[in-house]
């Protein structure tokens, strides 16, 4: 049975999730990359979208005009770690509950998710066109002067995913946990390989 989060997301919706769980999103997803984070945190500019209880996507979409509106062509995740230095404050100031991107994030985001009850999730890379089919409508765009990739595209989505929870509200970080496990496993493997491979002069 699919686990589906619906905006506005409540704290109790997230508390039962654990790093590694797979979820889907119904409701509102707003693209939000480097520049909106910088505008809010470094420049103190108020965001033109109320993100409380909503989800953001670290993504630079490809969008085309469609009559009086817009149509999503492709929307793939970008590297979340670029937003690491902003995310803790961003979560605190906006009340965002779900952060979606590519790759893991670090201790600042973990702390922000623990303190303010939010989660980070990973959308599979290479599925940008599939993701676009899960966008039912682009309701509006803000800060378009930043360019298509950096603008805030306010999207209504249906079963957007799969989203793999990488940071949960309990402080678990899937990427860091897996890194420790893999590093532990590789030591005897490397030792075994080195014992069988000799340098040829």
């Amino acid at each position: 049975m699919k686990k589906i989060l619906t905006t506005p997301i409540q704290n109790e919706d997230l508390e039962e999730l654990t790093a590694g769980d797979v979820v889907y999103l119904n409701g509102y997803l707003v693209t939000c990359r480097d520049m909106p984070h910088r505008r809010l945190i470094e420049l103190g500019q108020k965001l033109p979208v109320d993100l409380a209880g909503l989800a953001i996507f670290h993504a630079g979409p490809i969008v085309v005009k469609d009559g009086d509106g817009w149509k999503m062509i492709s929307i793939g995740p970008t590297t979340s770690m670029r937003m690491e230095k902003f995310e803790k404050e961003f979560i605190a100031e906006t009340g965002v509950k779900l952060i979606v991107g590519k790759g893991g994030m670090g201790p600042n985001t973990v702390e922000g998710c623990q303190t303010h009850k939010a989660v980070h999730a990973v959308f599979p890379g290479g599925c940008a066109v599939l993701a676009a089919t899960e966008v039912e409508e682009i309701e509006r765009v803000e800060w378009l002067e930043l360019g298509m990739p950096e603008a805030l595209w306010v999207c209504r989505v249906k079963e957007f995913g799969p989203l793999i929870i990488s940071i949960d509200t309990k402080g678990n970080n899937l990427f860091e946990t897996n890194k420790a496990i893999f590093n532990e496993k590789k030591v005897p493997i490397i030792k075994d390989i080195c014992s069988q491979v000799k340098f040829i002069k």
Side-chain angles (χ1 to χ4, degrees), residues 25-26 28 33 41 48 65 83 94 141-142 149 151 190-191 195-196:
L25 177 70
N26 284 347
Y28 287 96
R33 304 181 10 141
I41 305 306
K65 282 293 285 182
M83 274 56 76
T94 64
V141 60
E142 302 288 350
I190 292 173
K191 185 177 180 180
S195 70
Q196 299 180 54

Side-chain angles (χ1 to χ4, degrees), residues 37 54-58 80 87 90-91 96-101 105 109 113 118-122 166:
H37 280 76
L54 301 190
I56 62 169
F57 194 12
H58 296 155
S80 286
E87 212 67 86
F90 191 92
I91 294 167
V96 67
K97 290 297 175 187
L98 172 62
I99 300 152
V100 181
M105 297 193 77
T109 303
C113 287
V119 296
H120 177 268
V122 177
S166 64

Side-chain angles (χ1 to χ4, degrees), residues 151-170:
L152 296 165
W153 297 93
V154 181
C155 305
R156 193 175 71 249
V157 299
K158 180 72 171 178
E159 295 193 7
F160 187 87
L163 307 174
I164 304 166
I165 302 297
S166 64
I167 296 174
D168 60 28
T169 61
K170 299 176 278 290

Side-chain angles (χ1 to χ4, degrees), residues 14-200:
L14 303 178
E15 287 169 350
E16 63 183 26
L17 296 177
T18 299
D21 286 352
V22 176
V23 301
Y24 294 79
L25 177 70
N26 284 347
Y28 287 96
L29 177 67
V30 183
T31 62
C32 187
R33 304 181 10 141
D34 308 65
M35 287 307 299
H37 280 76
R38 291 186 62 190
R39 278 190 171 184
L40 177 67
I41 305 306
E42 291 185 344
L43 304 179
Q45 295 185 22
K46 182 178 173 62
L47 293 180
V49 181
D50 182 0
L51 295 176
L54 301 190
I56 62 169
F57 194 12
H58 296 155
I62 298 173
V63 179
V64 296
K65 282 293 285 182
D66 184 25
D68 293 332
W70 302 89
K71 181 180 179 182
M72 188 66 69
I73 301 299
S74 172
I75 180 169
T78 194
T79 304
S80 286
M81 191 58 82
R82 295 208 313 270
M83 274 56 76
E84 168 67 11
K85 67 178 181 178
F86 304 118
E87 212 67 86
K88 178 183 170 183
E89 291 177 76
F90 191 92
I91 294 167
E93 292 198 30
T94 64
V96 67
K97 290 297 175 187
L98 172 62
I99 300 152
V100 181
K102 180 174 68 176
M105 297 193 77
N108 286 332
T109 303
V110 170
E111 186 178 340
C113 287
Q114 268 191 290
T115 303
H116 303 287
K117 302 299 180 188
V119 296
H120 177 268
V122 177
F123 185 88
C127 300
V129 175
L130 170 65
T133 68
E134 297 167 349
V135 175
E136 291 190 308
E137 183 182 0
I138 299 173
E139 291 205 350
R140 71 184 207 269
V141 60
E142 302 288 350
W143 285 351
L144 190 54
E145 73 274 10
L146 293 175
M148 186 183 295
E150 293 287 348
L152 296 165
W153 297 93
V154 181
C155 305
R156 193 175 71 249
V157 299
K158 180 72 171 178
E159 295 193 7
F160 187 87
L163 307 174
I164 304 166
I165 302 297
S166 64
I167 296 174
D168 60 28
T169 61
K170 299 176 278 290
N172 298 309
N173 186 330
L174 183 65
F175 280 82
E176 292 304 314
T177 299
N178 285 345
K179 192 185 299 182
I181 292 170
F182 299 152
N183 282 338
E184 186 176 337
K185 285 182 176 181
K186 78 179 182 183
V187 172
I189 294 171
I190 292 173
K191 185 177 180 180
D192 183 47
I193 291 172
C194 290
S195 70
Q196 299 180 54
V197 176
K198 301 187 184 303
F199 179 69
I200 300 175

